[in-house]
Amino acid sequence: MDQQVFDGVAGRYWHRLDDGRVQCDLCPRYCKLHEGQRGLCFVRARQSDQIVLTTYGRSSGFCIDPIEKKPLNHFLPGTPVLSFGTAGCNLTCKFCQNWDISKARASDRLQDLASPEAIAEAAVRSGCRSVAFTYNDPVIFLEYAVDVAQACRARGLKTVAVSAGYICAEPRVEFFRHMDAANIDLKGFTEDFYKDLCSAKLAPVLGTLEYLKHSTEVWFEITTLLIPGENDSPAEIEALSRWVMERLGPDVPLHFTAFHPDWKMLDKPRTPPATLRMARRIAEEAGLRYVFTGNIHDPAGQSTYCHGCGGVLIGRNWYELMDWNLSPDGRCRACGTACAGMFEGKPGRWGARRQAITVPSLAASA
Ligand code: SF4
């Protein structure tokens, strides 16, 4: 049989099995590969008896987004973030809202060849404060993400991972050591949901959340997409909220966002705004201080309130900042209570804009 030849760089986190296969140890799928095979994520493959990353240096395009779009509401609010992804994913969510990227084969979707230095330079040039690994899950392109993150930090830029947190313990340490902030998708709060709709497991995701809270300085927020009839029962929302409160504490922001029919889940309606507001109320009653609604028009549900006096600290309308009542050291101007997060003296002024940019291509400079 002809063996497929990949154009990849050496991957980390794998070992040989006694039966001749090679096992990828990057994520809890533990794909076991014969020569020439790809893993479920499609971008890691076995070539020349080792695991390679086939998408190193290749992106699905670059955009400058508001940081609130990641979503991160308490990390350098109002600033622009250079965002990019690659192709593939290690989850198989039937409701994927980014399926054109996550289900893409490297060859048919990736356009831009960009070195870590070129990405970091482009971010600096365009006035971004951070670079985000997003659109598809960056754990599957760990080697590229880490190199880009190092190039960013060398230029004073922050780094942001948008991830489902489905990664093994050892690579998790390396990956998040290079990140300043993360948004972790907590897709539901039952093993059945993860098994039936994502062919994955809940426990490793909870492990990543606890790891981030108790073993790192990464600022992180959580997003749960509420899907009608799948993960939106008051009981499940309450269980999720109580777990966050008990295991992570009251200061981790939690975003409940609206689903729209997509990919293989076209039979479900959009999430009603009332469901998102109900979820927010339940999470606040569980003790969480910063709970937001997303993907709907709801300025009241998208603003940050002081847990000391109840006043508006940061007013938002979608991704736009409307009010700013934090002191330069991140305290309520009215009562002095500290707000959890990473703030600078003044908010950024990027607004809700989204702007595609071109990063000088490796191909062009070769
Ligand atoms: S990262 Fe990809 S190849 Fe590795 S175990 Fe996960 S899905 Fe399989």
Side-chain angles (χ1 to χ4, degrees):
M1 184 178 78
D2 286 345
Q3 287 182 345
Q4 192 166 352
V5 176
F6 304 106
D7 182 18
V9 304
R12 301 192 275 276
Y13 305 106
W14 56 271
H15 71 281
R16 286 192 184 82
L17 298 170
D18 290 342
D19 63 7
R21 292 180 298 172
V22 161
Q23 176 174 308
C24 176
D25 298 317
L26 181 54
C27 93
R29 293 197 177 279
Y30 300 114
C31 294
K32 299 168 182 63
L33 305 177
H34 294 287
E35 187 66 20
Q37 283 186 320
R38 293 179 183 267
L40 176 134
C41 59
F42 199 78
V43 300
R44 303 182 81 82
R46 178 170 168 176
Q47 176 185 346
S48 304
D49 210 21
Q50 62 174 340
I51 297 286
V52 296
L53 169 62
T54 62
T55 51
Y56 189 102
R58 307 181 69 195
S59 120
S60 54
F62 296 87
C63 239
I64 303 177
D65 287 330
I67 191 74
E68 285 76 12
K69 196 170 193 299
K70 299 303 97 186
L72 284 174
N73 277 358
H74 287 201
F75 182 79
L76 305 178
T79 61
V81 52
L82 179 64
S83 305
F84 77 98
T86 58
C89 191
N90 58 338
L91 271 77
T92 61
C93 305
K94 293 188 172 135
F95 49 88
C96 186
Q97 314 268 294
N98 268 336
W99 61 270
D100 52 331
I101 291 171
S102 65
K103 308 302 170 198
R105 303 309 195 212
S107 53
D108 60 32
R109 187 63 174 75
L110 297 180
Q111 314 144 358
D112 296 343
L113 279 168
S115 70
E117 288 71 26
I119 294 171
E121 285 296 331
V124 170
R125 261 201 325 277
S126 52
C128 291
R129 290 286 290 112
S130 57
V131 169
F133 312 96
T134 179
Y135 307 139
N136 68 329
D137 204 303
V139 307
I140 62 170
F141 60 93
L142 174 143
E143 295 82 1
Y144 185 36
V146 164
D147 287 355
V148 175
Q150 287 179 316
C152 289
R153 282 182 164 176
R155 289 161 178 80
L157 295 163
K158 303 286 188 199
T159 54
V160 174
V162 180
S163 169
Y166 206 56
I167 183 171
C168 293
E170 195 187 347
R172 184 163 71 198
V173 174
E174 180 188 1
F175 182 77
F176 285 110
R177 194 167 62 228
H178 298 278
M179 299 298 150
D180 296 298
N183 188 293
I184 303 295
D185 259 344
L186 179 54
K187 292 173 185 285
F189 203 64
T190 64
E191 286 292 355
D192 280 350
F193 180 94
Y194 268 83
K195 178 164 156 285
D196 297 343
L197 297 183
C198 314
S199 63
K201 297 187 181 113
L202 168 63
V205 181
L206 299 183
T208 294
L209 289 169
E210 293 211 69
Y211 170 75
L212 286 172
K213 180 66 188 178
H214 302 296
S215 304
T216 75
E217 296 293 314
V218 177
W219 173 259
F220 70 99
E221 306 187 11
I222 299 171
T223 297
T224 299
L225 183 79
L226 290 181
I227 305 172
E230 297 290 353
N231 63 356
D232 66 341
S233 73
E236 186 167 339
I237 292 165
E238 185 177 349
L240 183 156
S241 302
R242 283 185 184 281
W243 184 91
V244 173
M245 181 67 191
E246 284 163 15
R247 307 299 276 266
L248 309 178
D251 287 334
V252 175
L254 177 56
H255 303 250
F256 291 110
T257 58
F259 159 89
H260 64 264
D262 218 331
W263 186 231
K264 293 183 178 170
M265 194 175 273
L266 301 172
D267 57 331
K268 299 277 178 192
R270 288 174 180 268
T271 313
T275 301
L276 298 165
R277 294 195 180 104
M278 176 266 296
R280 180 166 174 262
R281 193 169 56 248
I282 290 172
E284 287 183 339
E285 284 169 4
L288 299 180
R289 291 170 173 163
Y290 311 114
V291 189
F292 305 105
T293 59
N295 294 349
I296 60 166
H297 178 71
D298 184 21
Q302 286 157 4
S303 296
T304 296
Y305 300 89
C306 176
H307 64 91
C309 68
V312 174
L313 293 178
I314 308 172
R316 297 183 194 83
N317 185 9
W318 288 91
Y319 309 128
E320 191 112 36
L321 302 189
M322 310 304 285
D323 297 293
W324 184 264
N325 294 311
L326 281 176
S327 64
D329 62 345
R331 293 180 175 276
C332 173
R333 282 193 197 280
C335 74
T337 301
C339 179
M342 188 177 288
F343 305 108
E344 292 180 326
K346 287 183 182 165
R349 299 165 61 90
W350 178 254
R353 277 174 290 160
R354 184 151 207 265
Q355 181 182 313
I357 68 161
T358 305
V359 171
S361 157
L362 277 177
S365 61

